[in-house]
Amino acid sequence: MKDLLGQWVDGMVGQLRAAGVVPDGPLPAFKIERPKERGHGDFSTNAAMVLARVARMKPRDLAARLLETLPADQQDIERWEIAGPGFINFFVSAARLRRQVHAIIDAGPDYGRSHMGQSEKIMVEFVSANPTGPIHVGHGRGAVTGDVLCRLLTATGYQVHREYYINDAGRQINVLGRSVLHRCRERLEHSSHPLPADFYPGEYVSDILDAMPEELRQSLHAWLASTQPHKEEETVLAATTRFAIDWVLDDIKKDLARLDIHFDHWFSERRLHEQGGIDHALNVLRSKDLIHDGLLEKPKGGAERSQDPWETRKQPLFRATAFGDDVDRPLQKPDGQYTYFAADIAYHLNKYERGFDRLVNIWGADHGGYVKRVEAALEGLTGKKGILHVLLVQMVNLTRNGQPVRMSKRAGNFVTLRDVVDQVGADAVRFWFLTRASASQLDFDLDLAVARSNDNPVYYVQYAHARICSIWRQMEEKGIHAGTLDAGSLSLDAELDLIRYLDTYPETVALAAIHLEPHRIVFYLQDLAAMFHTYYNATRILDDDPQVRMGRLALCQAVRQVIVNGLQLMGVKAPEQM
RNA sequence: GCGCCCGUGGCUCAAUAGGACAGAGCAACGGCCUUCUAAGCCGUGGGUUGCAGGUUCGAGUCCUGCCGGGCGCGCCA
């Protein structure tokens, strides 16, 4: 409906332009919006105010001229007015609103979907947690956010590709293998050894050992039993590590599947190395003279934490400062290995070369410091700005009994995502993660969520849906035939307001996709549910008058459809009974 | 010290691409179940949007500077 108004106002301005009231050439942008205040109509435009300057007229006078061009024969706008400093307010007719109910019912699951994205290819990379242990609650928030973003972008006409970047190269990964070895040795010798500082202590390390194929276990034992430094150390460790990664990845996949989160592709960093992706990316950078040998200043913070003294040496650096980063970034470690950043450059070039128009990354807030350099690299590689959108998802503050639960992978006392899903259920976890903008920190209280109290927001929305379903069950019991739904009798303020709000749903979906803000849908659903609950409490749906009943049933059907569509976008179930 | 994020009733958060009088929930208090599910509804209080400037017809929203909180700051991933 908003689009329709937009066309009209464009037409009105066009006529004034033809009449010479408004000059040719580019005009300042005006817009159509829905006023917060009901008394200001269903739609309003600031066109007269924005154009007043170029038209050399007072805003209100210009508004009057604009309205003279409004077609007289239309039925959709009941009345209009000039208000305040020069707003033009439009009031949609009740007949038009009633038709909207049928439009929603007819569109069904497609209501809210659009072709806005024009099949643009967009990759969303999310979760990408290191395969060194189970994913925790923080990852879960990123996972749900990414998943819903994908659903949103798909619904608005983008071609979406979901990807998980596996950090299966580098030191951390070997530490996982060594941790398994360590656990194996303990078992073999029936004793416990002090765990080296950075080894993984979690229970799952034993699980990995248990799941190990006999053959690999044997070679492990053989190697551990030998007193001499074993020349097969590298291969045994590599095989163990490989197995451990696969096990953990499989574990992660299961956790994500519990939340109905799936990926199109799991991209291996190791493979990127093996296939020369990094050399390729660095060659591209070199060809553009974006790598130079330079010295790196000792960083300000963090240095205190490190035991190793800072050593200044000449090394290849990416010219990140040419693209707005603070310092040029190193590409190689002292031992000649590539840095994580070098691999990241290669990975993002790889994404680009696979033909994606836009890249979205969902990162934890603790990776915020890397945004600039990756953006810089991508701009350097492609010459284009703004391909990459990094969405930083802030921390989840987990509490239990009001006490903060510490989450540290190293300390081994983190709460896994699985724990939380087990306790709270997938629907509540998903919904809860979406109740805040991702840039805001999120408090997640396990007790509250476990308690299944009224504070749990998902029930509120699901309940609205279940209530509507129950009306149909009620009809069945009473032997009332639904017949053909007809919104014609709807006339209460509450009913028309409800329709107006239903009408905003497609805009909300579009804006959520444009801004990459899934939480907007959750807020919408909560508001819609609230409006419905109010209406339901005040109005008898199954009225004795068949005409009235038909209308209300039609409205309920439309509300139900929008709730279903919205929950579907959130990946949350819409139970028919609660 | 530098970078990013955040700052809105007692608490947790909204506020539609800068729009008209800043809204919900929780908490507090008072009401509503012989009629479609009370996991619900209605009502009452509660705000100088951290502070100070600036841009604009108009600022919670944009710019600058402070203040407060979070995250990050080898050549870890």
Side-chain angles (χ1 to χ4, degrees):
Chain A
M1 219 185 273
K2 190 175 183 177
D3 297 341
L4 181 69
L5 260 294
Q7 287 169 26
W8 281 6
V9 174
D10 284 345
M12 288 156 70
V13 172
Q15 286 197 40
L16 286 202
R17 197 198 279 256
V21 178
V22 174
D24 283 336
L27 295 175
F30 52 87
K31 62 181 183 181
I32 312 294
E33 59 192 6
R34 296 176 181 268
K36 276 182 283 200
E37 196 68 33
R38 274 288 284 112
H40 294 148
D42 296 304
F43 296 94
S44 80
T45 179
N46 60 352
M49 288 147 72
V50 168
L51 298 176
R53 189 192 297 269
V54 292
R56 300 186 177 198
M57 290 176 71
K58 291 179 184 170
R60 291 188 65 109
D61 294 344
L62 182 58
R65 284 297 306 270
L66 281 167
L67 283 172
E68 285 170 15
T69 68
L70 188 69
D73 57 342
Q74 56 79 29
Q75 303 290 313
D76 294 343
I77 303 299
E78 190 171 83
R79 66 188 178 89
W80 49 87
E81 65 181 16
I82 300 167
F87 289 105
I88 301 175
N89 297 335
F90 299 96
F91 295 78
V92 174
S93 70
R96 180 67 184 81
L97 290 172
R98 288 185 204 111
R99 266 193 286 148
Q100 190 61 23
V101 173
H102 291 288
I104 293 167
I105 295 171
D106 292 345
D110 287 336
Y111 184 66
R113 305 180 75 91
S114 69
H115 300 289
M116 181 177 72
Q118 301 176 9
S119 298
E120 190 184 326
K121 282 184 73 181
I122 177 164
M123 179 198 288
V124 181
E125 181 218 323
F126 60 114
V127 189
S128 300
N130 289 348
T132 53
I135 50 179
H136 56 68
V137 183
H139 295 129
R141 187 182 184 191
V144 171
T145 303
D147 179 61
V148 174
L149 218 47
C150 290
R151 291 170 192 247
L152 269 171
L153 292 168
T154 302
T156 46
Y158 295 87
Q159 247 183 85
V160 179
H161 177 88
R162 306 153 164 257
E163 191 152 300
Y164 186 119
Y165 181 56
I166 309 167
N167 297 123
D168 52 1
R171 203 186 59 89
Q172 297 268 53
I173 288 305
N174 283 326
V175 172
L176 175 66
R178 292 216 166 81
S179 301
V180 175
L181 289 181
H182 182 268
R183 191 67 57 100
C184 186
R185 182 193 304 273
E186 282 187 335
R187 280 206 191 165
L188 218 55
E189 300 175 1
H190 301 289
S191 64
S192 64
H193 294 276
L195 194 72
D198 54 351
F199 277 36
Y200 297 104
E203 265 306 301
Y204 64 92
V205 177
S206 298
D207 296 338
I208 295 173
L209 206 49
D210 292 339
M212 199 172 271
E214 199 50 40
E215 197 179 330
L216 179 54
R217 198 197 317 272
Q218 290 303 331
S219 55
L220 253 186
H221 286 184
W223 173 60
L224 287 169
S226 79
T227 49
Q228 303 284 331
H230 203 287
K231 64 176 177 182
E232 298 214 352
E233 167 161 357
E234 285 308 313
T235 45
V236 172
L237 179 63
T240 304
T241 301
R242 191 75 57 86
F243 176 80
I245 291 171
D246 287 345
W247 188 92
V248 171
L249 274 176
D250 193 55
D251 198 53
I252 290 173
K253 281 180 195 177
K254 282 180 196 156
D255 285 354
L256 292 172
R258 295 271 318 267
L259 287 169
D260 198 21
I261 294 171
H262 309 274
F263 288 86
D264 295 313
H265 187 54
W266 296 67
F267 189 98
S268 160
E269 181 192 352
R270 187 169 47 81
R271 197 148 301 157
L272 187 67
H273 281 88
E274 289 169 359
Q275 294 176 349
I278 306 201
D279 291 328
H280 167 59
L282 297 192
N283 283 337
V284 173
L285 286 180
R286 270 193 208 96
S287 72
K288 300 185 179 223
D289 193 27
L290 291 173
I291 296 178
H292 68 108
D293 283 330
L295 298 171
L296 215 51
E297 298 268 322
K298 178 177 177 171
K300 289 284 185 192
E304 309 87 56
R305 287 206 317 269
S306 174
Q307 290 87 352
D308 304 331
W310 177 258
E311 186 190 341
T312 306
R313 61 183 184 87
K314 212 151 197 211
Q315 58 177 321
L317 301 174
F318 165 61
R319 292 189 197 274
T321 48
F323 307 98
D325 199 3
D326 309 320
V327 291
D328 290 340
R329 303 292 178 179
L331 300 164
Q332 276 182 333
K333 305 177 196 175
D335 63 7
Q337 285 206 343
Y338 291 120
T339 60
Y340 177 76
F341 177 52
D344 234 14
I345 292 175
Y347 177 41
H348 284 85
L349 177 60
N350 179 285
K351 288 182 183 180
Y352 178 75
E353 288 177 342
R354 274 187 276 163
F356 291 99
D357 307 306
R358 255 171 90 197
L359 306 175
V360 174
N361 289 0
I362 312 238
W363 285 356
D366 52 343
H367 292 244
Y370 290 81
V371 174
K372 271 191 191 175
R373 75 189 66 169
V374 177
E375 282 176 348
L378 209 45
E379 192 186 335
L381 288 163
T382 66
K384 295 182 197 162
K385 250 189 152 106
I387 295 174
L388 176 69
H389 301 255
V390 179
L391 194 64
L392 293 179
V393 177
Q394 286 290 332
M395 299 181 57
V396 176
N397 294 317
L398 206 57
T399 55
R400 178 179 267 154
N401 295 323
Q403 295 299 310
V405 179
R406 265 179 47 83
M407 285 189 291
S408 159
K409 218 177 217 187
R410 291 295 170 74
N413 68 344
F414 57 91
V415 177
T416 63
L417 180 61
R418 187 180 318 161
D419 286 342
V420 176
V421 174
D422 282 345
Q423 292 174 48
V424 184
D427 281 346
V429 168
R430 288 190 65 114
F431 204 89
W432 201 290
F433 279 150
L434 297 167
T435 55
R436 284 301 101 105
S438 57
S440 294
Q441 293 187 25
L442 174 79
D443 293 327
F444 194 111
D445 193 289
L446 285 168
D447 291 327
L448 217 62
V450 170
R452 297 200 165 229
S453 71
N454 308 356
D455 305 334
N456 213 329
V458 63
Y459 293 121
Y460 186 77
V461 174
Q462 288 181 326
Y463 183 44
H465 176 265
R467 266 185 154 173
I468 295 171
C469 294
S470 133
I471 294 169
W472 263 262
R473 285 194 296 272
Q474 220 14 253
M475 281 198 295
E476 196 132 341
E477 276 178 32
K478 293 184 178 172
I480 302 171
H481 292 289
T484 307
L485 296 178
D486 179 1
S489 68
L490 293 170
S491 58
L492 300 175
D493 282 347
E495 291 167 343
L496 299 181
D497 281 347
L498 212 33
I499 299 171
R500 289 184 176 100
Y501 198 58
L502 292 174
D503 184 46
T504 67
Y505 176 70
E507 292 157 39
T508 303
V509 174
L511 284 169
I514 289 168
H515 293 280
L516 306 177
E517 290 181 343
H519 73 279
R520 289 172 186 250
I521 309 295
V522 162
F523 283 105
Y524 175 90
L525 289 174
Q526 286 177 324
D527 288 344
L528 177 61
M531 286 178 81
F532 175 74
H533 284 310
T534 297
Y535 174 64
Y536 178 91
N537 271 278
T539 321
R540 179 132 186 104
I541 308 300
L542 297 178
D543 194 89
D544 292 335
D545 182 333
Q547 287 304 113
V548 172
R549 192 168 66 223
M550 283 292 91
R552 292 179 180 167
L553 284 171
L555 178 56
C556 286
Q557 178 60 27
V559 171
R560 196 191 70 82
Q561 186 67 61
V562 173
I563 292 179
V564 166
N565 292 2
L567 285 178
Q568 164 76 30
L569 269 179
M570 301 297 96
V572 173
K573 286 189 272 305
E576 297 189 358
Q577 218 164 338
M578 292 181 73

